[in-house]
Each structure stands twice: as structure tokens, then as C-alpha cells.
Amino acid sequence: QVQLVESGGGPVQAGDSLRLSCAASGRAFSSYAMGWYRQAPGNQRELVARISSGGSPYYIDSVKGRFTISRDNAKNTVYLQMNSLKPEDTTLYYCAASRIDDIDWFKSPSNMAYWGTGTLVTVSS
């Protein structure tokens, strides 16, 4: 069993940066691939970034070059550094964990084994 708690969201101006954190409790954090998702009202939850258990990152095109996903296994934490934020980045952000690293697996949110409760990012223009 893994519990995930996100933090770091908040209101910012366009062009600003935020760092989201997702703290995991439970065993064997390092064996999980971790993902950051976002979901705007009325939209489906979408994968933003994923980091494999071995540290390999993946990003969707709209955040490449702006967002960086990383993990600190000693702290059982995964991060999402978000730079050059845009108003369209405004939404709830969730982290998720899976034993399966595969990108296509992560593209289906229903495949994720564990979820946090989300942190809200609001970017004003």
C-alpha cells in the first residue's frame, strides 16, 4: 500500500515557477514509476510527466522544456518543477504510482495503482 500526498501548488503569475512535491509513504518507493497528471473541470485526467523507477523521464509535448520531473528515493518524494507557467497550466495536479514503467500504461489514468488527492495550480495572466 502506498499513500501519496501532493503539495506546492498555489496562485502564481504567468511566467513564474512552482515546484510540486509528492511524498509517498509505504514500502519500496524506489520500485514504483511515478507520474504527474492534471485534470481541468470537464476534461479527462491527462498525463503530464512520468519518471520510471530507474529515473527516465517522459513529458507531454505541451510541457517539454518547461517542466522537469525528478525523484529522490531517499526522501520517498517525486517532484515536478514547473517553469514559464502559462494560464492554460491552471488546474488540479495529481501524482500517481505504478509498478509498471511503460509510457503507454501511464497514458491511461485508470491503470494507476495509487493516487494523491491533488494540489491546485492557478496561473493568472
Side-chain angles (χ1 to χ4, degrees):
Q1 193 78 353
V2 175
Q3 291 81 43
L4 303 174
V5 179
E6 303 94 336
S7 62
V12 295
Q13 299 285 324
D16 285 351
S17 298
L18 277 176
R19 189 177 78 158
L20 305 184
S21 299
C22 173
S25 60
R27 297 181 177 181
F29 171 77
S30 62
S31 69
Y32 286 87
M34 301 296 297
W36 283 100
Y37 292 77
R38 61 188 180 189
Q39 184 172 21
N43 289 351
Q44 292 187 341
R45 194 167 294 189
E46 68 167 350
L47 175 66
V48 175
R50 181 233 66 182
I51 187 164
S52 70
S53 56
S56 295
Y58 165 86
Y59 305 96
I60 59 172
D61 287 345
S62 61
V63 307
K64 281 181 181 176
R66 299 191 299 125
F67 291 11
T68 302
I69 189 170
S70 62
R71 65 189 299 158
D72 185 337
N73 290 335
K75 296 183 178 180
N76 279 16
T77 301
V78 62
Y79 304 98
L80 187 67
Q81 178 67 43
M82 304 187 296
N83 298 331
S84 302
L85 281 161
K86 304 176 180 180
E88 51 262 44
D89 295 319
T90 294
T91 192
L92 277 164
Y93 285 74
Y94 301 87
C95 69
S98 172
R99 291 275 195 182
I100 299 174
D101 276 339
D102 185 74
I103 293 294
D104 287 337
W105 185 259
F106 266 78
K107 288 179 180 178
S108 295
S110 60
N111 289 336
M112 295 300 102
Y114 304 103
W115 288 96
T117 56
T119 187
L120 180 62
V121 173
T122 304
V123 185
S124 56
S125 56

